[in-house]
Amino acid sequence: MKKGGRKEGTDMAKMADRSPQKVAAAKDGVSRPSWETYFMDIARLVASRSTCLRRSVGAVIVKDKRMLSTGYNGAPSGLAHCLDIGCIRDKLMVASGQRHELCRGIHAEQNAIIQAAYHGFSIKNAMLYCTNLPCAICTKMIINAGICRIYYQEGYADELSLTMLGEAGVEVIQTS
């Protein structure tokens, strides 16, 4: 046994199952998630706070491996949540990715950017970890806020966002 009670040697069979993206370091059989996995896991946890009936989205803004702010989708502070009063978009049969103005909720990315500004954090050259690819409205905010890279898990029904992000030079990476 080594100091700290760890066994000597590494069980390579266990490590063979783990993707290099998900494991940053393996030492003495102890593995750690990569920074990308760590922050995306946090974004998924933040999404669990969502009050939207259609989709739970979480966002984390990171700079120099430090979380600056988080956001999830839901009604503005102090207003009734869709969980409590129902979804306007469902009542009006508005498709996902359409007519964003017909919604009580603020998107997770918007909330994360607003929280950073509210608390006085510069997010220029920061990275965004988001459970979903941002919509076109959030994309415009992301570009103007100076966010340089987006990690996301799932797509979104708004093709314009990818076009604008590419044109602005924002790196976009889909994770698993």
Side-chain angles (χ1 to χ4, degrees):
M1 297 284 260
K2 286 191 166 191
K3 289 182 187 176
R6 292 186 186 150
K7 293 180 183 177
E8 288 193 52
T10 302
D11 185 351
M12 296 310 287
K14 285 183 191 174
M15 296 309 298
D17 296 343
R18 310 276 313 258
S19 99
Q21 181 183 11
K22 293 191 177 189
V23 180
K27 194 176 198 177
D28 298 328
V30 177
S31 62
R32 299 171 63 198
S34 67
W35 286 109
E36 291 80 14
T37 299
Y38 172 72
F39 290 122
M40 189 56 75
D41 285 349
I42 293 170
R44 283 190 286 271
L45 179 62
V46 170
S48 70
R49 292 279 307 153
S50 171
T51 60
C52 178
L53 296 171
R54 286 185 162 198
R55 180 187 312 246
S56 295
V57 181
V60 179
I61 297 178
V62 175
K63 191 172 185 179
D64 300 324
K65 297 180 184 170
R66 302 287 182 257
M67 284 189 298
L68 301 180
S69 67
T70 64
Y72 54 87
N73 56 327
S77 298
L79 299 186
H81 297 290
C82 298
L83 286 173
D84 302 323
I85 63 170
C87 176
I88 295 170
R89 295 174 65 79
D90 280 347
K91 290 174 187 167
L92 298 174
M93 297 185 300
V94 178
S96 181
Q98 306 291 314
R99 305 286 314 268
H100 295 285
E101 74 279 7
L102 296 176
C103 181
R104 293 181 62 82
I106 298 174
H107 288 190
E109 305 91 324
Q110 294 169 350
N111 263 329
I113 291 169
I114 291 165
Q115 286 300 309
Y118 184 85
H119 293 287
F121 296 118
S122 171
I123 57 175
K124 184 178 180 183
N125 296 318
M127 293 181 279
L128 173 73
Y129 291 82
C130 194
T131 55
N132 292 78
L133 180 69
C135 71
I137 294 171
C138 290
T139 291
K140 291 181 255 185
M141 292 177 69
I142 289 163
I143 291 165
N144 278 359
I147 291 173
C148 62
R149 182 178 302 147
I150 298 171
Y151 291 92
Y152 74 98
Q153 184 178 347
E154 298 175 13
Y156 190 73
D158 191 339
E159 306 222 356
L160 180 58
S161 62
L162 274 177
T163 302
M164 289 191 297
L165 290 165
E167 187 177 334
V170 176
E171 188 177 0
V172 179
I173 301 166
Q174 185 169 14
T175 65
S176 53

